[in-house]
Amino acid sequence: MNGAWVASKLVRAAATRLLAVTVVFVVLRLAGDPAEILFSDNAGEATLARSRAHGGLDQPLGVQYLMYLRSLVQGDFGLSSQDGSSAWQLVMGRLPYTLQLGGVSLLLAVLIGIPAGMAAALARGSLTDRLVMLATVSGFCIP
């Protein structure tokens, strides 16, 4: 591996992340005014204006995007709209459960997938092969 290859991979990774972040920003803005989404229909215009000003939503879209990027780079993921606590702390508080669920899922996938794949490979074209393929495709289709 030479330095140019590594550099090209790093540039591609950065471009992919920037694209993903940009798509998330655009989709969130297409959903509507975040201040109106957070508050009920009973919220007054003064409350909405205060919320927009507090979140920088009263700024032009380009400024909002740059503020969004800066916050992400600084690790500031904002506050929960439910209780005002740090979104980062909420995510970190649930991380052990997420890792546990992911670990058990990975273990089950390995314990079931490898033997099933071996059985399908040994019996190529047979009913076993087709059933394993059906189960695999079905598993990908289920959310």
Side-chain angles (χ1 to χ4, degrees):
M1 288 191 298
N2 61 25
W5 182 82
V6 172
S8 74
K9 293 295 182 184
L10 289 174
V11 168
R12 284 184 184 183
T16 301
R17 287 183 181 184
L18 183 62
L19 179 64
V21 165
T22 302
V23 167
V24 168
F25 178 83
V26 169
V27 167
L28 288 175
R29 293 308 183 263
L30 288 176
D33 181 8
E36 289 180 9
I37 293 171
L38 287 175
F39 292 99
S40 67
D41 295 334
N42 303 347
E45 192 57 41
T47 302
L48 292 174
R50 248 190 334 273
S51 175
R52 287 183 191 112
H54 182 265
L57 300 173
D58 57 348
Q59 300 293 321
L61 204 56
V63 173
Q64 290 180 38
Y65 179 68
L66 291 175
M67 289 170 38
Y68 177 70
L69 287 178
R70 186 186 70 216
S71 295
L72 289 178
V73 168
Q74 292 174 346
D76 177 11
F77 298 106
L79 302 176
S80 166
S81 60
Q82 301 295 316
D83 61 8
S85 61
S86 167
W88 179 254
Q89 289 175 347
L90 288 174
V91 169
M92 295 283 65
R94 288 166 177 83
L95 185 62
Y97 305 110
T98 303
L99 293 175
Q100 183 180 13
L101 180 62
V104 169
S105 299
L106 178 63
L107 181 65
L108 284 174
V110 168
L111 291 177
I112 294 170
I114 290 178
M118 288 172 58
L122 291 173
R124 188 171 182 174
S126 70
L127 180 62
T128 302
D129 181 28
R130 291 178 188 196
L131 288 175
V132 169
M133 184 60 75
L134 176 67
T136 303
V137 171
S138 298
F140 282 127
C141 294
I142 297 172

